[in-house]
Amino acid sequence: MKKQWWKESVVYQIYPRSFMDGNGDGIGDIPGILSKLDYLQNLGVDVIWLSPVYESPNDDNGYDISDYRSILGEFGTIDDWKSLLEGLHDRGMKLIMDLVVNHSSDEHAWFVESRKSKDNPYRDYYIWREGKGGKEPNDWGSFFSGSAWQRDEATGEYFLHLFSKKQPDLNWENEALRQEIYDMMTWWLDLGIDGFRMDVINLISKVPELPNAGNGDGKYVFGGEYFMNGPRIHEYLQEMNRKVLSKYDIMTVGEAIGVTPEEASLYVGEDRGELNMVFHFELMDVDSGPGGKWDVVPWKLSDLKRIIGKWQRSLHGKGWNSLYLNNHDQPRMVSRFGDDGRYRIESAKMLATLLHTLQGTPYVYQGEELGMVNVKFDGVSEYKDIETLNMYEEYAAAGRDHSEIMNSIYVKGRDNARTPMQWNGSANAGFTTGTPWIRVNPSYMDINAERTLADENSVFHYYRKLIRLRKENEIAVYGDYRPLLENDNRVFAYVRSLGDDRLVVVLNFFGAPAEVVFDELIAYGNCELYIGNYEDAPRNELEQRIELRPYEARVYKLTK
Ligand code: NOJ
């Protein structure tokens, strides 16, 4: 595989609203981030992905942009942003920005114009249709509940919004709109940024007829087949690459809902001229039942192994994987796939070991390196996320039981990831001197950066070590992947190989001890413990029979 800096990097995602508040207004901001650059450097990450900081009415916390070229006042100024870029570059880190161009805010100047009249020059920048029989143009549901269409008074037509009513979808069929987006991307790149994370980028091409997705019973349904990986998606991305991306030494990662590894190779194939990586959702769906995200079912290790193995093998030699188990849209990984009680530290380290020993680029979401956990607020009124609030309203109106809905929110709600970063044990976890925009997770007395920095056995220091080891061992980046113990339903194990070197990874995914017996002789030559989450694991010996302790992770490096 071709060597690239972004393959060898570890990315850290900052959700600016919740990272660090520099001015006491309760909202995280860029000066706050500036005060934590040494912290990030100490962790050892290479690239910062900054969630949106652009002008926005914040219907969806910045994923509804009303001006792509300016910074939202509550986050700071463009000069603050320039200091951020400079501060990162000075420390040898890079910065990638969030690019949200499937939709804009309804307060963007384009939409303000577009909605005025049918013959406005900006009309065609968005997707407008006449209603059918007094109803919406089709039966598509929005990701945030209800119809994906909104009727607009001025002209009586409907506009499409796959997300909130304040996030109208942009019409990529329109060439002038595409050019505006490319110009805007060029503007940011010329300011010196190092790439983009592209929001729901595989939704930008819709089947032009916008057909109904359901059976005509009047229900809103998920119309994904008509807008995921749509007919012109690869043409658009190749055009974007030709006109913009290919001119810079940058990294790109596209959020891609519903892509399979086969489809992903069209986005990230090294000969395709599109993107470097995608975020797929197969792993994030392992605990969703037939009713979707909120219909929570237990995940199975066999599914995790199958999905990860499939992606590792399918993209090997063709394209590059992104590796993540949480972000600002997902619950905290230690609560979801580990144990956020008794074995919080062990399981957070075990999951980190998985992410940093697979082929691909690992993404760390703020607070993950502390082992931050999910939150349970008492009432729905404490929650801020539009997806959660809309769902609550819809489910409650349909007569669903309050405690059942709350339970889904506790397990899956996006606000689990959006409570403020826990810096220390003082008021509001040291995040703000004011009133935080969303309540701090009460776990902050126990789980915070100050404590974790002071303890050399902490999750934070384990991340540092993992990140450093990955830099020192090419095999962790470029080695290929072969599963071991495929039928074991407690232990996840695999071998990475590069030349004559081997990395053997053994992870106990549960809180009970597990014995594994390798059915092949994997030890050869010299053996050295690469990393492990228990102090006293044998350092120079990989036995054929191993007793793993709860959530134990061991990685051995074997050399001839
Ligand atoms: C994906 C983003 O990650 C999420 O936070 C947002 O709500 C939707 N896209 C819409 O922009």
PDB file of all heavy atoms in Angstrom, residues 378-412:
ATOM      1  N   ASP A 378     -32.319  13.355  34.271  1.00  0.00           N
ATOM      2  CA  ASP A 378     -33.605  12.904  34.810  1.00  0.00           C
ATOM      3  C   ASP A 378     -34.741  13.032  33.812  1.00  0.00           C
ATOM      4  O   ASP A 378     -35.553  12.151  33.640  1.00  0.00           O
ATOM      5  CB  ASP A 378     -33.969  13.704  36.068  1.00  0.00           C
ATOM      6  CG  ASP A 378     -33.036  13.353  37.202  1.00  0.00           C
ATOM      7  OD1 ASP A 378     -32.428  12.271  37.125  1.00  0.00           O
ATOM      8  OD2 ASP A 378     -32.894  14.180  38.125  1.00  0.00           O
ATOM      9  N   GLY A 379     -34.792  14.190  33.177  1.00  0.00           N
ATOM     10  CA  GLY A 379     -35.963  14.411  32.321  1.00  0.00           C
ATOM     11  C   GLY A 379     -35.545  14.798  30.927  1.00  0.00           C
ATOM     12  O   GLY A 379     -34.397  15.199  30.687  1.00  0.00           O
ATOM     13  N   VAL A 380     -36.482  14.698  30.004  1.00  0.00           N
ATOM     14  CA  VAL A 380     -36.155  14.994  28.610  1.00  0.00           C
ATOM     15  C   VAL A 380     -35.809  16.474  28.443  1.00  0.00           C
ATOM     16  O   VAL A 380     -35.048  16.852  27.550  1.00  0.00           O
ATOM     17  CB  VAL A 380     -37.303  14.523  27.681  1.00  0.00           C
ATOM     18  CG1 VAL A 380     -38.518  15.421  27.790  1.00  0.00           C
ATOM     19  CG2 VAL A 380     -36.816  14.417  26.247  1.00  0.00           C
ATOM     20  N   SER A 381     -36.289  17.306  29.380  1.00  0.00           N
ATOM     21  CA  SER A 381     -36.033  18.739  29.246  1.00  0.00           C
ATOM     22  C   SER A 381     -34.559  19.097  29.428  1.00  0.00           C
ATOM     23  O   SER A 381     -34.121  20.171  29.045  1.00  0.00           O
ATOM     24  CB  SER A 381     -36.872  19.516  30.258  1.00  0.00           C
ATOM     25  OG  SER A 381     -36.507  19.098  31.545  1.00  0.00           O
ATOM     26  N   GLU A 382     -33.785  18.184  30.009  1.00  0.00           N
ATOM     27  CA  GLU A 382     -32.334  18.433  30.159  1.00  0.00           C
ATOM     28  C   GLU A 382     -31.587  18.213  28.849  1.00  0.00           C
ATOM     29  O   GLU A 382     -30.428  18.564  28.723  1.00  0.00           O
ATOM     30  CB  GLU A 382     -31.721  17.478  31.190  1.00  0.00           C
ATOM     31  CG  GLU A 382     -32.388  17.463  32.528  1.00  0.00           C
ATOM     32  CD  GLU A 382     -31.710  18.427  33.482  1.00  0.00           C
ATOM     33  OE1 GLU A 382     -30.993  19.319  33.007  1.00  0.00           O
ATOM     34  OE2 GLU A 382     -31.920  18.268  34.693  1.00  0.00           O
ATOM     35  N   TYR A 383     -32.239  17.536  27.895  1.00  0.00           N
ATOM     36  CA  TYR A 383     -31.555  17.196  26.641  1.00  0.00           C
ATOM     37  C   TYR A 383     -31.659  18.342  25.650  1.00  0.00           C
ATOM     38  O   TYR A 383     -32.618  19.117  25.673  1.00  0.00           O
ATOM     39  CB  TYR A 383     -32.147  15.890  26.067  1.00  0.00           C
ATOM     40  CG  TYR A 383     -31.675  14.704  26.871  1.00  0.00           C
ATOM     41  CD1 TYR A 383     -32.332  14.316  28.038  1.00  0.00           C
ATOM     42  CD2 TYR A 383     -30.517  14.028  26.520  1.00  0.00           C
ATOM     43  CE1 TYR A 383     -31.866  13.278  28.821  1.00  0.00           C
ATOM     44  CE2 TYR A 383     -30.038  12.981  27.297  1.00  0.00           C
ATOM     45  CZ  TYR A 383     -30.712  12.607  28.442  1.00  0.00           C
ATOM     46  OH  TYR A 383     -30.229  11.581  29.226  1.00  0.00           O
ATOM     47  N   LYS A 384     -30.651  18.464  24.799  1.00  0.00           N
ATOM     48  CA  LYS A 384     -30.577  19.593  23.879  1.00  0.00           C
ATOM     49  C   LYS A 384     -30.647  19.178  22.418  1.00  0.00           C
ATOM     50  O   LYS A 384     -30.895  20.001  21.549  1.00  0.00           O
ATOM     51  CB  LYS A 384     -29.233  20.328  24.065  1.00  0.00           C
ATOM     52  CG  LYS A 384     -28.967  20.773  25.483  1.00  0.00           C
ATOM     53  CD  LYS A 384     -29.867  21.908  25.878  1.00  0.00           C
ATOM     54  CE  LYS A 384     -29.608  22.324  27.316  1.00  0.00           C
ATOM     55  NZ  LYS A 384     -30.667  23.168  27.850  1.00  0.00           N
ATOM     56  N   ASP A 385     -30.360  17.930  22.126  1.00  0.00           N
ATOM     57  CA  ASP A 385     -30.188  17.518  20.738  1.00  0.00           C
ATOM     58  C   ASP A 385     -31.527  17.429  19.993  1.00  0.00           C
ATOM     59  O   ASP A 385     -32.459  16.760  20.442  1.00  0.00           O
ATOM     60  CB  ASP A 385     -29.481  16.154  20.721  1.00  0.00           C
ATOM     61  CG  ASP A 385     -29.380  15.588  19.323  1.00  0.00           C
ATOM     62  OD1 ASP A 385     -29.390  16.376  18.361  1.00  0.00           O
ATOM     63  OD2 ASP A 385     -29.301  14.345  19.199  1.00  0.00           O
ATOM     64  N   ILE A 386     -31.567  18.055  18.831  1.00  0.00           N
ATOM     65  CA  ILE A 386     -32.798  18.108  18.038  1.00  0.00           C
ATOM     66  C   ILE A 386     -33.289  16.718  17.650  1.00  0.00           C
ATOM     67  O   ILE A 386     -34.496  16.449  17.618  1.00  0.00           O
ATOM     68  CB  ILE A 386     -32.607  19.002  16.788  1.00  0.00           C
ATOM     69  CG1 ILE A 386     -33.892  19.084  15.984  1.00  0.00           C
ATOM     70  CG2 ILE A 386     -31.460  18.541  15.907  1.00  0.00           C
ATOM     71  CD1 ILE A 386     -33.914  20.171  14.936  1.00  0.00           C
ATOM     72  N   GLU A 387     -32.360  15.811  17.366  1.00  0.00           N
ATOM     73  CA  GLU A 387     -32.782  14.455  16.978  1.00  0.00           C
ATOM     74  C   GLU A 387     -33.516  13.787  18.139  1.00  0.00           C
ATOM     75  O   GLU A 387     -34.588  13.198  17.978  1.00  0.00           O
ATOM     76  CB  GLU A 387     -31.556  13.612  16.581  1.00  0.00           C
ATOM     77  CG  GLU A 387     -31.945  12.218  16.126  1.00  0.00           C
ATOM     78  CD  GLU A 387     -30.779  11.249  16.054  1.00  0.00           C
ATOM     79  OE1 GLU A 387     -29.861  11.320  16.899  1.00  0.00           O
ATOM     80  OE2 GLU A 387     -30.789  10.389  15.158  1.00  0.00           O
ATOM     81  N   THR A 388     -32.933  13.908  19.342  1.00  0.00           N
ATOM     82  CA  THR A 388     -33.526  13.304  20.531  1.00  0.00           C
ATOM     83  C   THR A 388     -34.876  13.952  20.845  1.00  0.00           C
ATOM     84  O   THR A 388     -35.871  13.264  21.110  1.00  0.00           O
ATOM     85  CB  THR A 388     -32.560  13.493  21.730  1.00  0.00           C
ATOM     86  OG1 THR A 388     -31.364  12.763  21.454  1.00  0.00           O
ATOM     87  CG2 THR A 388     -33.167  13.037  23.025  1.00  0.00           C
ATOM     88  N   LEU A 389     -34.913  15.282  20.801  1.00  0.00           N
ATOM     89  CA  LEU A 389     -36.146  15.982  21.191  1.00  0.00           C
ATOM     90  C   LEU A 389     -37.278  15.698  20.208  1.00  0.00           C
ATOM     91  O   LEU A 389     -38.417  15.459  20.616  1.00  0.00           O
ATOM     92  CB  LEU A 389     -35.882  17.487  21.315  1.00  0.00           C
ATOM     93  CG  LEU A 389     -34.851  17.863  22.400  1.00  0.00           C
ATOM     94  CD1 LEU A 389     -34.534  19.349  22.364  1.00  0.00           C
ATOM     95  CD2 LEU A 389     -35.335  17.454  23.800  1.00  0.00           C
ATOM     96  N   ASN A 390     -36.973  15.694  18.910  1.00  0.00           N
ATOM     97  CA  ASN A 390     -38.014  15.385  17.918  1.00  0.00           C
ATOM     98  C   ASN A 390     -38.522  13.957  18.078  1.00  0.00           C
ATOM     99  O   ASN A 390     -39.718  13.685  17.974  1.00  0.00           O
ATOM    100  CB  ASN A 390     -37.480  15.557  16.486  1.00  0.00           C
ATOM    101  CG  ASN A 390     -37.319  17.020  16.098  1.00  0.00           C
ATOM    102  OD1 ASN A 390     -37.619  17.921  16.879  1.00  0.00           O
ATOM    103  ND2 ASN A 390     -36.844  17.260  14.893  1.00  0.00           N
ATOM    104  N   MET A 391     -37.597  13.046  18.312  1.00  0.00           N
ATOM    105  CA  MET A 391     -37.996  11.647  18.483  1.00  0.00           C
ATOM    106  C   MET A 391     -38.897  11.510  19.701  1.00  0.00           C
ATOM    107  O   MET A 391     -39.929  10.847  19.666  1.00  0.00           O
ATOM    108  CB  MET A 391     -36.734  10.780  18.630  1.00  0.00           C
ATOM    109  CG  MET A 391     -36.972   9.312  18.905  1.00  0.00           C
ATOM    110  SD  MET A 391     -37.353   8.880  20.606  1.00  0.00           S
ATOM    111  CE  MET A 391     -35.747   8.982  21.394  1.00  0.00           C
ATOM    112  N   TYR A 392     -38.500  12.174  20.799  1.00  0.00           N
ATOM    113  CA  TYR A 392     -39.309  12.068  22.019  1.00  0.00           C
ATOM    114  C   TYR A 392     -40.748  12.514  21.749  1.00  0.00           C
ATOM    115  O   TYR A 392     -41.719  11.845  22.109  1.00  0.00           O
ATOM    116  CB  TYR A 392     -38.710  12.897  23.169  1.00  0.00           C
ATOM    117  CG  TYR A 392     -39.478  12.658  24.447  1.00  0.00           C
ATOM    118  CD1 TYR A 392     -39.094  11.664  25.336  1.00  0.00           C
ATOM    119  CD2 TYR A 392     -40.645  13.389  24.728  1.00  0.00           C
ATOM    120  CE1 TYR A 392     -39.831  11.393  26.472  1.00  0.00           C
ATOM    121  CE2 TYR A 392     -41.393  13.118  25.862  1.00  0.00           C
ATOM    122  CZ  TYR A 392     -40.977  12.128  26.736  1.00  0.00           C
ATOM    123  OH  TYR A 392     -41.729  11.851  27.845  1.00  0.00           O
ATOM    124  N   GLU A 393     -40.845  13.639  21.080  1.00  0.00           N
ATOM    125  CA  GLU A 393     -42.172  14.193  20.794  1.00  0.00           C
ATOM    126  C   GLU A 393     -43.000  13.227  19.942  1.00  0.00           C
ATOM    127  O   GLU A 393     -44.159  12.943  20.242  1.00  0.00           O
ATOM    128  CB  GLU A 393     -41.973  15.504  20.035  1.00  0.00           C
ATOM    129  CG  GLU A 393     -43.107  16.493  20.213  1.00  0.00           C
ATOM    130  CD  GLU A 393     -42.754  17.788  19.495  1.00  0.00           C
ATOM    131  OE1 GLU A 393     -41.752  18.428  19.881  1.00  0.00           O
ATOM    132  OE2 GLU A 393     -43.461  18.120  18.533  1.00  0.00           O
ATOM    133  N   GLU A 394     -42.347  12.701  18.902  1.00  0.00           N
ATOM    134  CA  GLU A 394     -43.063  11.791  18.006  1.00  0.00           C
ATOM    135  C   GLU A 394     -43.488  10.510  18.732  1.00  0.00           C
ATOM    136  O   GLU A 394     -44.634  10.067  18.623  1.00  0.00           O
ATOM    137  CB  GLU A 394     -42.167  11.444  16.812  1.00  0.00           C
ATOM    138  CG  GLU A 394     -42.850  10.544  15.798  1.00  0.00           C
ATOM    139  CD  GLU A 394     -41.906  10.141  14.659  1.00  0.00           C
ATOM    140  OE1 GLU A 394     -41.347  11.055  14.025  1.00  0.00           O
ATOM    141  OE2 GLU A 394     -41.728   8.936  14.429  1.00  0.00           O
ATOM    142  N   TYR A 395     -42.576   9.931  19.503  1.00  0.00           N
ATOM    143  CA  TYR A 395     -42.890   8.668  20.184  1.00  0.00           C
ATOM    144  C   TYR A 395     -43.923   8.883  21.294  1.00  0.00           C
ATOM    145  O   TYR A 395     -44.799   8.052  21.502  1.00  0.00           O
ATOM    146  CB  TYR A 395     -41.619   8.032  20.765  1.00  0.00           C
ATOM    147  CG  TYR A 395     -40.747   7.325  19.749  1.00  0.00           C
ATOM    148  CD1 TYR A 395     -40.835   7.611  18.384  1.00  0.00           C
ATOM    149  CD2 TYR A 395     -39.829   6.350  20.144  1.00  0.00           C
ATOM    150  CE1 TYR A 395     -40.034   6.963  17.463  1.00  0.00           C
ATOM    151  CE2 TYR A 395     -39.021   5.690  19.222  1.00  0.00           C
ATOM    152  CZ  TYR A 395     -39.124   6.014  17.884  1.00  0.00           C
ATOM    153  OH  TYR A 395     -38.321   5.364  16.986  1.00  0.00           O
ATOM    154  N   ALA A 396     -43.796  10.008  21.998  1.00  0.00           N
ATOM    155  CA  ALA A 396     -44.748  10.271  23.084  1.00  0.00           C
ATOM    156  C   ALA A 396     -46.144  10.474  22.492  1.00  0.00           C
ATOM    157  O   ALA A 396     -47.139   9.949  23.006  1.00  0.00           O
ATOM    158  CB  ALA A 396     -44.308  11.480  23.896  1.00  0.00           C
ATOM    159  N   ALA A 397     -46.201  11.198  21.361  1.00  0.00           N
ATOM    160  CA  ALA A 397     -47.504  11.438  20.724  1.00  0.00           C
ATOM    161  C   ALA A 397     -48.108  10.122  20.242  1.00  0.00           C
ATOM    162  O   ALA A 397     -49.329   9.963  20.187  1.00  0.00           O
ATOM    163  CB  ALA A 397     -47.336  12.408  19.545  1.00  0.00           C
ATOM    164  N   ALA A 398     -47.253   9.170  19.903  1.00  0.00           N
ATOM    165  CA  ALA A 398     -47.755   7.874  19.439  1.00  0.00           C
ATOM    166  C   ALA A 398     -48.099   6.960  20.616  1.00  0.00           C
ATOM    167  O   ALA A 398     -48.439   5.791  20.438  1.00  0.00           O
ATOM    168  CB  ALA A 398     -46.707   7.212  18.546  1.00  0.00           C
ATOM    169  N   GLY A 399     -47.983   7.493  21.842  1.00  0.00           N
ATOM    170  CA  GLY A 399     -48.409   6.743  23.025  1.00  0.00           C
ATOM    171  C   GLY A 399     -47.359   5.816  23.603  1.00  0.00           C
ATOM    172  O   GLY A 399     -47.657   4.958  24.434  1.00  0.00           O
ATOM    173  N   ARG A 400     -46.100   5.974  23.195  1.00  0.00           N
ATOM    174  CA  ARG A 400     -45.077   5.086  23.760  1.00  0.00           C
ATOM    175  C   ARG A 400     -44.756   5.474  25.209  1.00  0.00           C
ATOM    176  O   ARG A 400     -44.846   6.636  25.590  1.00  0.00           O
ATOM    177  CB  ARG A 400     -43.799   5.161  22.943  1.00  0.00           C
ATOM    178  CG  ARG A 400     -44.031   4.713  21.537  1.00  0.00           C
ATOM    179  CD  ARG A 400     -42.853   3.919  21.053  1.00  0.00           C
ATOM    180  NE  ARG A 400     -42.933   3.781  19.616  1.00  0.00           N
ATOM    181  CZ  ARG A 400     -41.971   3.292  18.866  1.00  0.00           C
ATOM    182  NH1 ARG A 400     -40.837   2.908  19.430  1.00  0.00           N
ATOM    183  NH2 ARG A 400     -42.113   3.190  17.574  1.00  0.00           N
ATOM    184  N   ASP A 401     -44.343   4.483  25.953  1.00  0.00           N
ATOM    185  CA  ASP A 401     -44.089   4.647  27.370  1.00  0.00           C
ATOM    186  C   ASP A 401     -42.883   5.561  27.627  1.00  0.00           C
ATOM    187  O   ASP A 401     -41.811   5.377  27.036  1.00  0.00           O
ATOM    188  CB  ASP A 401     -43.835   3.238  27.926  1.00  0.00           C
ATOM    189  CG  ASP A 401     -43.506   3.280  29.392  1.00  0.00           C
ATOM    190  OD1 ASP A 401     -44.353   3.807  30.137  1.00  0.00           O
ATOM    191  OD2 ASP A 401     -42.407   2.839  29.769  1.00  0.00           O
ATOM    192  N   HIS A 402     -43.057   6.529  28.521  1.00  0.00           N
ATOM    193  CA  HIS A 402     -42.002   7.509  28.806  1.00  0.00           C
ATOM    194  C   HIS A 402     -40.679   6.840  29.210  1.00  0.00           C
ATOM    195  O   HIS A 402     -39.619   7.174  28.681  1.00  0.00           O
ATOM    196  CB  HIS A 402     -42.464   8.461  29.919  1.00  0.00           C
ATOM    197  CG  HIS A 402     -41.362   9.298  30.500  1.00  0.00           C
ATOM    198  ND1 HIS A 402     -40.885  10.433  29.881  1.00  0.00           N
ATOM    199  CD2 HIS A 402     -40.619   9.139  31.631  1.00  0.00           C
ATOM    200  CE1 HIS A 402     -39.902  10.949  30.612  1.00  0.00           C
ATOM    201  NE2 HIS A 402     -39.722  10.182  31.674  1.00  0.00           N
ATOM    202  N   SER A 403     -40.758   5.868  30.119  1.00  0.00           N
ATOM    203  CA  SER A 403     -39.487   5.314  30.599  1.00  0.00           C
ATOM    204  C   SER A 403     -38.789   4.505  29.508  1.00  0.00           C
ATOM    205  O   SER A 403     -37.560   4.437  29.454  1.00  0.00           O
ATOM    206  CB  SER A 403     -39.673   4.500  31.878  1.00  0.00           C
ATOM    207  OG  SER A 403     -40.580   3.487  31.631  1.00  0.00           O
ATOM    208  N   GLU A 404     -39.574   3.916  28.625  1.00  0.00           N
ATOM    209  CA  GLU A 404     -38.941   3.195  27.504  1.00  0.00           C
ATOM    210  C   GLU A 404     -38.217   4.162  26.571  1.00  0.00           C
ATOM    211  O   GLU A 404     -37.112   3.892  26.107  1.00  0.00           O
ATOM    212  CB  GLU A 404     -40.019   2.490  26.685  1.00  0.00           C
ATOM    213  CG  GLU A 404     -39.973   0.992  26.797  1.00  0.00           C
ATOM    214  CD  GLU A 404     -41.155   0.381  26.069  1.00  0.00           C
ATOM    215  OE1 GLU A 404     -41.293   0.643  24.861  1.00  0.00           O
ATOM    216  OE2 GLU A 404     -41.944  -0.313  26.737  1.00  0.00           O
ATOM    217  N   ILE A 405     -38.865   5.298  26.326  1.00  0.00           N
ATOM    218  CA  ILE A 405     -38.213   6.285  25.447  1.00  0.00           C
ATOM    219  C   ILE A 405     -36.941   6.787  26.119  1.00  0.00           C
ATOM    220  O   ILE A 405     -35.879   6.886  25.489  1.00  0.00           O
ATOM    221  CB  ILE A 405     -39.134   7.488  25.125  1.00  0.00           C
ATOM    222  CG1 ILE A 405     -40.523   7.044  24.674  1.00  0.00           C
ATOM    223  CG2 ILE A 405     -38.495   8.370  24.056  1.00  0.00           C
ATOM    224  CD1 ILE A 405     -41.484   8.199  24.386  1.00  0.00           C
ATOM    225  N   MET A 406     -37.050   7.082  27.422  1.00  0.00           N
ATOM    226  CA  MET A 406     -35.856   7.584  28.129  1.00  0.00           C
ATOM    227  C   MET A 406     -34.731   6.562  28.080  1.00  0.00           C
ATOM    228  O   MET A 406     -33.560   6.901  27.926  1.00  0.00           O
ATOM    229  CB  MET A 406     -36.180   7.924  29.593  1.00  0.00           C
ATOM    230  CG  MET A 406     -37.072   9.136  29.799  1.00  0.00           C
ATOM    231  SD  MET A 406     -36.564  10.631  28.906  1.00  0.00           S
ATOM    232  CE  MET A 406     -35.051  11.076  29.725  1.00  0.00           C
ATOM    233  N   ASN A 407     -35.112   5.307  28.149  1.00  0.00           N
ATOM    234  CA  ASN A 407     -34.075   4.282  28.117  1.00  0.00           C
ATOM    235  C   ASN A 407     -33.321   4.286  26.781  1.00  0.00           C
ATOM    236  O   ASN A 407     -32.095   4.167  26.741  1.00  0.00           O
ATOM    237  CB  ASN A 407     -34.694   2.918  28.400  1.00  0.00           C
ATOM    238  CG  ASN A 407     -33.616   1.969  28.853  1.00  0.00           C
ATOM    239  OD1 ASN A 407     -32.792   2.328  29.694  1.00  0.00           O
ATOM    240  ND2 ASN A 407     -33.565   0.809  28.239  1.00  0.00           N
ATOM    241  N   SER A 408     -34.071   4.455  25.702  1.00  0.00           N
ATOM    242  CA  SER A 408     -33.394   4.538  24.389  1.00  0.00           C
ATOM    243  C   SER A 408     -32.458   5.743  24.351  1.00  0.00           C
ATOM    244  O   SER A 408     -31.364   5.672  23.795  1.00  0.00           O
ATOM    245  CB  SER A 408     -34.403   4.708  23.256  1.00  0.00           C
ATOM    246  OG  SER A 408     -35.250   3.620  23.174  1.00  0.00           O
ATOM    247  N   ILE A 409     -32.917   6.850  24.940  1.00  0.00           N
ATOM    248  CA  ILE A 409     -32.076   8.057  24.948  1.00  0.00           C
ATOM    249  C   ILE A 409     -30.799   7.796  25.755  1.00  0.00           C
ATOM    250  O   ILE A 409     -29.708   8.177  25.345  1.00  0.00           O
ATOM    251  CB  ILE A 409     -32.860   9.268  25.513  1.00  0.00           C
ATOM    252  CG1 ILE A 409     -34.049   9.600  24.603  1.00  0.00           C
ATOM    253  CG2 ILE A 409     -31.947  10.479  25.692  1.00  0.00           C
ATOM    254  CD1 ILE A 409     -34.972  10.694  25.122  1.00  0.00           C
ATOM    255  N   TYR A 410     -30.960   7.106  26.887  1.00  0.00           N
ATOM    256  CA  TYR A 410     -29.776   6.834  27.712  1.00  0.00           C
ATOM    257  C   TYR A 410     -28.749   5.991  26.947  1.00  0.00           C
ATOM    258  O   TYR A 410     -27.557   6.179  27.088  1.00  0.00           O
ATOM    259  CB  TYR A 410     -30.158   6.097  29.007  1.00  0.00           C
ATOM    260  CG  TYR A 410     -30.996   6.926  29.962  1.00  0.00           C
ATOM    261  CD1 TYR A 410     -31.853   6.330  30.875  1.00  0.00           C
ATOM    262  CD2 TYR A 410     -30.928   8.316  29.943  1.00  0.00           C
ATOM    263  CE1 TYR A 410     -32.618   7.086  31.752  1.00  0.00           C
ATOM    264  CE2 TYR A 410     -31.699   9.086  30.810  1.00  0.00           C
ATOM    265  CZ  TYR A 410     -32.538   8.464  31.708  1.00  0.00           C
ATOM    266  OH  TYR A 410     -33.299   9.209  32.569  1.00  0.00           O
ATOM    267  N   VAL A 411     -29.266   5.075  26.150  1.00  0.00           N
ATOM    268  CA  VAL A 411     -28.340   4.173  25.461  1.00  0.00           C
ATOM    269  C   VAL A 411     -27.803   4.787  24.164  1.00  0.00           C
ATOM    270  O   VAL A 411     -26.642   4.614  23.829  1.00  0.00           O
ATOM    271  CB  VAL A 411     -29.035   2.817  25.158  1.00  0.00           C
ATOM    272  CG1 VAL A 411     -28.079   1.860  24.460  1.00  0.00           C
ATOM    273  CG2 VAL A 411     -29.541   2.184  26.441  1.00  0.00           C
ATOM    274  N   LYS A 412     -28.661   5.511  23.430  1.00  0.00           N
ATOM    275  CA  LYS A 412     -28.278   5.916  22.080  1.00  0.00           C
ATOM    276  C   LYS A 412     -28.199   7.421  21.832  1.00  0.00           C
ATOM    277  O   LYS A 412     -27.714   7.848  20.783  1.00  0.00           O
ATOM    278  CB  LYS A 412     -29.297   5.332  21.072  1.00  0.00           C
ATOM    279  CG  LYS A 412     -29.156   3.844  20.812  1.00  0.00           C
ATOM    280  CD  LYS A 412     -27.921   3.548  19.996  1.00  0.00           C
ATOM    281  CE  LYS A 412     -27.870   2.123  19.495  1.00  0.00           C
ATOM    282  NZ  LYS A 412     -28.814   1.849  18.415  1.00  0.00           N
TER     283      LYS A 412
END
